Amino acid sequence: MVLVCLKCGAQYCADATPSICMMCADERGSLGRNGQEWAKKSDVFKTHKNSVHEEEPGLLSIGTEPLFGIGQRALLIQTGVGNILWDCINILQPETAKDIHSRGGIQAIAISHPHFFGGIATWAEEFDSPVYIHEKDKQFVTEPNSHIQPWSGDEKELFGGARLLRLGGHFPGSAVLHWSGGADGKGILCTGDTIQGLKDRRWVAFMLNFPLYMPLPADQVARIGRTVKAWQLDFERLHCGWTGQSVDRNAKQVVIKSAEHYVGLLDGSVEREYF
């Protein structure tokens, strides 16, 4: 039996379930008002279903209805030479699996950071896919699976113009995925919340803990901004881990501008009257 944390969606084998979810107990997590709550994964499957829609040509958004855990979605990148599932969700309905198999299945699963680990065993076993997580975050795997393949360093090339890039910050291994074929060849960046898209599409955010509004230190945001600026990779659009929070145009410039403004507010170089 598999138990699921109702707050974050982390999955545990019943005989290895802690009193408090490891992810929620971490400084980047949070508990709800009622403390730790668990559910049988089989029960969650009875009350939730997948929602699937095209985010843009070659990119499907796969979510959960009603929202579950932290409300995240997964993205299916159809590169033309194989499909990549970016990030993961707990639910995989038989009809969703059938639909994805009809589109060529999944040849690789890549995860931005541990808050998207829930469900990777289910998806990996269904599609017999390797799961790429950064080695710096492998201690956060709550449901071990033989498909998991930790990667190291700051870059990992996949296939079809897709590449993983480690930025750190939110977690030491926090990564993003760049796909050169997205946005009609102008490139897209899939970010989870390593870089967080917002309702205001002119900006993105960088945080240590989103539920508790704990910011990343200024030097870490500056480092992320410099790293993105130095990339020999362009991306017109940015797709984060939540529906309705994509950056539709000039996404690389938006990331760089947001990082510089964020740092300026924290170090005082942006002049503003506060008192």
Short mmCIF file of all heavy atoms in Angstrom, two decimals, residues 85-114:
data_model
loop_
_atom_site.label_atom_id
_atom_site.label_comp_id
_atom_site.label_asym_id
_atom_site.label_seq_id
_atom_site.Cartn_x
_atom_site.Cartn_y
_atom_site.Cartn_z
N LEU A 85 8.54 13.60 -20.41
CA LEU A 85 7.65 14.12 -19.38
C LEU A 85 8.47 14.99 -18.45
O LEU A 85 9.42 14.50 -17.81
CB LEU A 85 6.98 12.99 -18.60
CG LEU A 85 5.93 13.45 -17.58
CD1 LEU A 85 4.65 13.92 -18.29
CD2 LEU A 85 5.60 12.34 -16.58
N TRP A 86 8.13 16.26 -18.38
CA TRP A 86 8.83 17.18 -17.48
C TRP A 86 8.00 17.35 -16.22
O TRP A 86 6.83 17.76 -16.28
CB TRP A 86 9.03 18.53 -18.16
CG TRP A 86 9.55 19.61 -17.25
CD1 TRP A 86 8.88 20.71 -16.82
CD2 TRP A 86 10.86 19.67 -16.64
NE1 TRP A 86 9.68 21.47 -15.99
CE2 TRP A 86 10.90 20.85 -15.86
CE3 TRP A 86 11.98 18.84 -16.68
CZ2 TRP A 86 12.02 21.22 -15.13
CZ3 TRP A 86 13.11 19.21 -15.95
CH2 TRP A 86 13.12 20.38 -15.19
N ASP A 87 8.60 17.03 -15.09
CA ASP A 87 7.93 17.03 -13.79
C ASP A 87 6.80 16.01 -13.76
O ASP A 87 6.51 15.36 -14.76
CB ASP A 87 7.46 18.44 -13.40
CG ASP A 87 8.61 19.28 -12.88
OD1 ASP A 87 9.59 18.70 -12.38
OD2 ASP A 87 8.56 20.52 -12.95
N CYS A 88 6.18 15.85 -12.60
CA CYS A 88 5.28 14.72 -12.44
C CYS A 88 4.12 15.08 -11.53
O CYS A 88 4.19 16.03 -10.74
CB CYS A 88 6.05 13.52 -11.87
SG CYS A 88 5.30 11.93 -12.26
N ILE A 89 3.04 14.31 -11.66
CA ILE A 89 1.87 14.43 -10.79
C ILE A 89 1.51 13.04 -10.29
O ILE A 89 1.96 12.03 -10.84
CB ILE A 89 0.67 15.07 -11.53
CG1 ILE A 89 0.34 14.28 -12.80
CG2 ILE A 89 0.95 16.54 -11.85
CD1 ILE A 89 -0.88 14.79 -13.54
N ASN A 90 0.69 12.98 -9.25
CA ASN A 90 0.36 11.69 -8.65
C ASN A 90 -0.56 10.84 -9.51
O ASN A 90 -0.44 9.62 -9.55
CB ASN A 90 -0.30 11.90 -7.29
CG ASN A 90 0.61 12.58 -6.29
OD1 ASN A 90 0.72 13.79 -6.27
ND2 ASN A 90 1.28 11.80 -5.45
N ILE A 91 -1.51 11.50 -10.19
CA ILE A 91 -2.57 10.77 -10.87
C ILE A 91 -2.17 10.40 -12.29
O ILE A 91 -1.61 11.22 -13.04
CB ILE A 91 -3.86 11.62 -10.91
CG1 ILE A 91 -4.31 11.98 -9.50
CG2 ILE A 91 -4.97 10.90 -11.67
CD1 ILE A 91 -4.58 10.80 -8.60
N LEU A 92 -2.44 9.16 -12.68
CA LEU A 92 -2.31 8.71 -14.06
C LEU A 92 -3.48 7.78 -14.34
O LEU A 92 -3.47 6.60 -13.98
CB LEU A 92 -0.98 7.99 -14.31
CG LEU A 92 -0.81 7.39 -15.70
CD1 LEU A 92 -0.93 8.45 -16.79
CD2 LEU A 92 0.53 6.64 -15.81
N GLN A 93 -4.52 8.33 -14.98
CA GLN A 93 -5.69 7.52 -15.31
C GLN A 93 -5.41 6.62 -16.50
O GLN A 93 -4.59 6.96 -17.37
CB GLN A 93 -6.87 8.43 -15.65
CG GLN A 93 -7.46 9.19 -14.48
CD GLN A 93 -8.62 10.04 -14.95
OE1 GLN A 93 -8.45 10.95 -15.73
NE2 GLN A 93 -9.81 9.71 -14.46
N PRO A 94 -6.09 5.46 -16.59
CA PRO A 94 -5.89 4.56 -17.72
C PRO A 94 -6.12 5.25 -19.07
O PRO A 94 -5.36 5.02 -20.02
CB PRO A 94 -6.91 3.45 -17.48
CG PRO A 94 -7.10 3.45 -15.99
CD PRO A 94 -6.99 4.89 -15.57
N GLU A 95 -7.13 6.12 -19.15
CA GLU A 95 -7.40 6.78 -20.43
C GLU A 95 -6.30 7.78 -20.79
O GLU A 95 -5.99 7.99 -21.97
CB GLU A 95 -8.77 7.47 -20.42
CG GLU A 95 -9.05 8.33 -19.22
CD GLU A 95 -9.78 7.58 -18.11
OE1 GLU A 95 -9.40 6.43 -17.81
OE2 GLU A 95 -10.73 8.16 -17.54
N THR A 96 -5.69 8.40 -19.76
CA THR A 96 -4.57 9.31 -20.02
C THR A 96 -3.36 8.51 -20.50
O THR A 96 -2.68 8.92 -21.45
CB THR A 96 -4.21 10.09 -18.75
OG1 THR A 96 -5.36 10.78 -18.28
CG2 THR A 96 -3.10 11.10 -19.03
N ALA A 97 -3.09 7.39 -19.85
CA ALA A 97 -1.98 6.54 -20.28
C ALA A 97 -2.18 6.07 -21.72
O ALA A 97 -1.24 6.08 -22.53
CB ALA A 97 -1.84 5.35 -19.34
N LYS A 98 -3.41 5.67 -22.05
CA LYS A 98 -3.71 5.21 -23.41
C LYS A 98 -3.47 6.32 -24.41
O LYS A 98 -2.90 6.10 -25.50
CB LYS A 98 -5.16 4.72 -23.47
CG LYS A 98 -5.56 4.18 -24.83
CD LYS A 98 -7.01 3.67 -24.82
CE LYS A 98 -7.42 3.15 -26.18
NZ LYS A 98 -8.83 2.66 -26.17
N ASP A 99 -3.90 7.53 -24.08
CA ASP A 99 -3.72 8.68 -24.96
C ASP A 99 -2.23 8.94 -25.20
O ASP A 99 -1.79 9.15 -26.34
CB ASP A 99 -4.38 9.91 -24.34
CG ASP A 99 -4.21 11.16 -25.19
OD1 ASP A 99 -4.12 11.05 -26.43
OD2 ASP A 99 -4.16 12.26 -24.62
N ILE A 100 -1.43 8.91 -24.13
CA ILE A 100 0.00 9.17 -24.27
C ILE A 100 0.69 8.06 -25.05
O ILE A 100 1.57 8.32 -25.89
CB ILE A 100 0.65 9.37 -22.89
CG1 ILE A 100 0.09 10.63 -22.23
CG2 ILE A 100 2.17 9.45 -23.00
CD1 ILE A 100 0.54 10.83 -20.80
N HIS A 101 0.30 6.82 -24.81
CA HIS A 101 0.86 5.71 -25.61
C HIS A 101 0.57 5.92 -27.10
O HIS A 101 1.42 5.65 -27.95
CB HIS A 101 0.29 4.38 -25.15
CG HIS A 101 0.95 3.81 -23.93
ND1 HIS A 101 2.27 3.45 -23.91
CD2 HIS A 101 0.45 3.53 -22.68
CE1 HIS A 101 2.58 2.97 -22.70
NE2 HIS A 101 1.50 3.00 -21.94
N SER A 102 -0.63 6.43 -27.40
CA SER A 102 -0.99 6.65 -28.81
C SER A 102 -0.16 7.76 -29.44
O SER A 102 -0.05 7.84 -30.66
CB SER A 102 -2.48 6.99 -28.93
OG SER A 102 -2.76 8.31 -28.47
N ARG A 103 0.41 8.62 -28.61
CA ARG A 103 1.26 9.72 -29.08
C ARG A 103 2.73 9.32 -29.12
O ARG A 103 3.60 10.16 -29.36
CB ARG A 103 1.09 10.95 -28.20
CG ARG A 103 -0.33 11.53 -28.17
CD ARG A 103 -0.44 12.62 -27.13
NE ARG A 103 -1.80 13.09 -26.92
CZ ARG A 103 -2.35 14.13 -27.56
NH1 ARG A 103 -1.64 14.80 -28.45
NH2 ARG A 103 -3.59 14.49 -27.31
N GLY A 104 3.01 8.06 -28.83
CA GLY A 104 4.40 7.58 -28.88
C GLY A 104 4.99 7.25 -27.54
O GLY A 104 6.17 6.90 -27.44
N GLY A 105 4.19 7.34 -26.45
CA GLY A 105 4.68 7.00 -25.12
C GLY A 105 5.59 8.07 -24.55
O GLY A 105 5.57 9.24 -24.96
N ILE A 106 6.39 7.67 -23.58
CA ILE A 106 7.35 8.57 -22.92
C ILE A 106 8.70 7.89 -22.92
O ILE A 106 8.85 6.79 -22.38
CB ILE A 106 6.89 8.90 -21.48
CG1 ILE A 106 5.58 9.70 -21.50
CG2 ILE A 106 7.97 9.68 -20.74
CD1 ILE A 106 4.98 9.91 -20.12
N GLN A 107 9.70 8.55 -23.49
CA GLN A 107 11.03 7.98 -23.56
C GLN A 107 11.95 8.45 -22.43
O GLN A 107 13.00 7.86 -22.18
CB GLN A 107 11.68 8.32 -24.91
CG GLN A 107 11.16 7.48 -26.06
CD GLN A 107 9.69 7.75 -26.38
OE1 GLN A 107 9.28 8.89 -26.58
NE2 GLN A 107 8.88 6.70 -26.42
N ALA A 108 11.56 9.52 -21.75
CA ALA A 108 12.34 10.02 -20.62
C ALA A 108 11.44 10.86 -19.72
O ALA A 108 10.53 11.55 -20.20
CB ALA A 108 13.53 10.86 -21.09
N ILE A 109 11.70 10.77 -18.43
CA ILE A 109 11.05 11.63 -17.43
C ILE A 109 12.15 12.42 -16.75
O ILE A 109 13.16 11.85 -16.32
CB ILE A 109 10.26 10.80 -16.40
CG1 ILE A 109 9.15 9.99 -17.09
CG2 ILE A 109 9.68 11.69 -15.31
CD1 ILE A 109 8.46 8.99 -16.18
N ALA A 110 11.97 13.72 -16.66
CA ALA A 110 12.96 14.58 -16.00
C ALA A 110 12.24 15.46 -14.99
O ALA A 110 11.17 16.01 -15.29
CB ALA A 110 13.70 15.43 -17.02
N ILE A 111 12.82 15.60 -13.81
CA ILE A 111 12.16 16.28 -12.70
C ILE A 111 12.97 17.50 -12.27
O ILE A 111 14.18 17.42 -12.10
CB ILE A 111 11.98 15.33 -11.50
CG1 ILE A 111 11.34 14.01 -11.95
CG2 ILE A 111 11.15 15.99 -10.42
CD1 ILE A 111 9.93 14.12 -12.45
N SER A 112 12.26 18.61 -12.06
CA SER A 112 12.94 19.85 -11.70
C SER A 112 13.50 19.81 -10.28
O SER A 112 14.64 20.26 -10.04
CB SER A 112 11.99 21.05 -11.84
OG SER A 112 10.87 20.93 -10.96
N HIS A 113 12.72 19.27 -9.32
CA HIS A 113 13.16 19.27 -7.92
C HIS A 113 12.21 18.39 -7.11
O HIS A 113 11.18 17.93 -7.63
CB HIS A 113 13.21 20.71 -7.38
CG HIS A 113 11.87 21.32 -7.16
ND1 HIS A 113 11.05 21.72 -8.20
CD2 HIS A 113 11.19 21.61 -6.02
CE1 HIS A 113 9.93 22.22 -7.70
NE2 HIS A 113 9.98 22.16 -6.38
N PRO A 114 12.50 18.12 -5.84
CA PRO A 114 11.76 17.11 -5.08
C PRO A 114 10.27 17.34 -4.89
O PRO A 114 9.54 16.37 -4.65
CB PRO A 114 12.48 17.10 -3.72
CG PRO A 114 13.89 17.45 -4.06
CD PRO A 114 13.76 18.51 -5.13
#
